[in-house]
């Protein structure tokens, strides 16, 4: 990949040149699919609360500061969201035994159930919509999964 000093991409060097139209189409389609999947939620939780619920589930026990950093939001924003999740009974806050000034955040059984319900809603939606594809389309999509997974890998090396 060639970049300018400002970091923007001038052009993509690859064995198979990617047309700008295809790059735009891929970006827009993946973004739209992500948004639609995130919207598959029956109980009215906001995207921010669901994201936090999933983050806590992956990293618990976790501090509010760690959550703010990984969510890339301000600590006061995380605190507001955590307070809402605590009100709903989805997370608990306990003193950190290593540092009594800090608190550790974990999912409650209700929070774990809610997280599973959101996952199930997303999987049901995806399964229903995948069922609309013909066999060739479905096979093409499944064949592309390893490449799409590599795109999500933050350690993906750059091509020379």
């Amino acid at each position: 990949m060639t970049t300018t000093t400002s970091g923007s991409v001038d052009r993509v060097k690859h064995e198979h040149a990617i047309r700008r139209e295809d790059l735009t189409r891929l970006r827009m389609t993946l973004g739209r699919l992500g948004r639609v999947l995130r919207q598959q939620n029956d109980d009215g939780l906001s995207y921010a609360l669901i994201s936090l619920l999933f983050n806590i589930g992956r990293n618990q026990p976790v501090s509010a500061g760690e959550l703010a950093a990984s969510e890339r939001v301000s600590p006061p924003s995380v605190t507001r969201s955590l307070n809402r999740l605590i009100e709903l009974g989805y997370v608990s806050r306990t003193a950190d035994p290593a540092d009594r000034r800090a608190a550790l955040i974990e999912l409650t059984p209700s929070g774990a159930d809610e997280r599973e319900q959101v996952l199930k809603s997303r999987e049901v939606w995806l399964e229903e919509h995948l069922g609309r594809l013909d066999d060739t389309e479905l096979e093409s999509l499944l064949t592309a999964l390893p490449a799409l997974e590599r795109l999500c890998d933050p350690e993906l090396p750059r091509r020379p």
Side-chain angles (χ1 to χ4, degrees), residues 28 33 134:
M28 291 180 71
L33 179 59
D134 65 34

Side-chain angles (χ1 to χ4, degrees), residues 2 11 15 29 32 36 39 58 60 62 65 72-73 81 105 119:
T2 303
R11 64 183 179 276
E15 293 171 11
T29 300
R32 193 167 62 234
V36 169
Q39 292 168 354
R58 279 190 310 274
Q60 64 186 340
V62 62
R72 294 187 171 101
V73 296
S81 294
I105 311 298
L119 282 174

